[in-house]
Amino acid sequence: MDYTIKQVSEKTKLKAHVLRYYEREGLLPFVSRSESGIRRYSEDDLEWIGLICCLKNTGMAIKQIKKFVELSMQGGKTLKQRCDMLAEHKKDVEAQIEKMQKHLRKVEHKIEYFTEQYEKYKIDNT
Amino acid sequence: MDYTIKQVSEKTKLKAHVLRYYEREGLLPFVSRSESGIRRYSEDDLEWIGLICCLKNTGMAIKQIKKFVELSMQGGKTLKQRCDMLAEHKKDVEAQIEKMQKHLRKVEHKIEYFTEQYEKYKIDNT
DNA sequence: TATTGACTTAAAGTTAACGTTAAGGTTTAC
DNA sequence: GTAAACCTTAACGTTAACTTTAAGTCAATA
């Protein structure tokens, strides 16, 4: 049960040209082809794409993801290295979330302040 | 007590050329100049830059920030509009954080899985 | 059989947000 | 008073991550 690029595009919300671009960039070296050269994505490939999207959406650069994929292709001997990479990334994501939350509080304060000001403004202008 | 571009650069961690770039893009229309045309940043300006960085670091595009600044320059009559803009942005930031947290859990699961695999691998290869 | 539509590659274009360079004016420290 | 350390504008360059275009192959459908 393989999928065409279009089906994968629909499942992953990644445009077909983006899937090809990722492949060119070395993010999807495992995707196989039919006799006529057409891409055939397996269930496993979809799992992989899921992880790649997760890493990308948390700010990992494509080059870094490529490194991770390359390590994975080398089998068990790189498990420790991959673990370390993900642990590093985890820290990074946690830091991002904290920063975001801090910024969020600032935005919330501003909203409160502007709301107050707006109430005053309405009274002064009636 | 005004600041030079360099001092502001140090305080805000924004390079001087970035401050000039932001000004060109309409993010800092309030910054005044000395007689000889040198930028003089007030304490208030620093406050403003703080908010701008907050919005930028939470993913608001420079064009959007410019809109917000322009509204602010028009005074009290735009308070409601600004409130609405920030409320929209707040939602956006909250969504970003949630997404990040979801992705973080996936990364954590992968780390757990790889750690297990690594333990097995070590046993098989001794 | 012809045309529609999905697939292919290579390569050039786009966008946001800077970053760098050139060419020159001004202020401050010794 | 002069050299270093600032400042200015204008314009071109860079990077990441796509996006589009051009030119063509292949398979199924009317």
Side-chain angles (χ1 to χ4, degrees), chain A residues 5-6 20 33 39:
Chain A
I5 201 168
K6 179 139 199 242
R20 293 191 202 107
R33 305 287 184 109
R39 289 171 181 82

Side-chain angles (χ1 to χ4, degrees), chain A residues 68-86:
Chain A
F68 181 81
V69 172
E70 279 170 352
L71 285 175
S72 306
M73 294 303 114
Q74 290 169 35
K77 63 176 174 183
T78 66
L79 271 167
K80 177 80 170 61
Q81 234 177 309
R82 281 180 276 158
C83 250
D84 291 350
M85 257 189 96
L86 287 191

Side-chain angles (χ1 to χ4, degrees), chain B residues 5-22:
Chain B
I5 200 168
K6 178 131 199 250
Q7 290 168 323
V8 176
S9 175
E10 282 157 4
K11 273 179 179 283
T12 62
K13 311 286 174 199
L14 295 173
K15 297 272 168 66
H17 71 250
V18 175
L19 287 164
R20 292 190 202 106
Y21 163 67
Y22 283 179

Side-chain angles (χ1 to χ4, degrees), chain A residues 58-74:
Chain A
T58 46
M60 191 183 279
I62 281 180
K63 277 186 186 173
Q64 195 68 3
I65 299 176
K66 183 188 173 177
K67 246 188 210 166
F68 181 81
V69 172
E70 279 170 352
L71 285 175
S72 306
M73 294 303 114
Q74 290 169 35

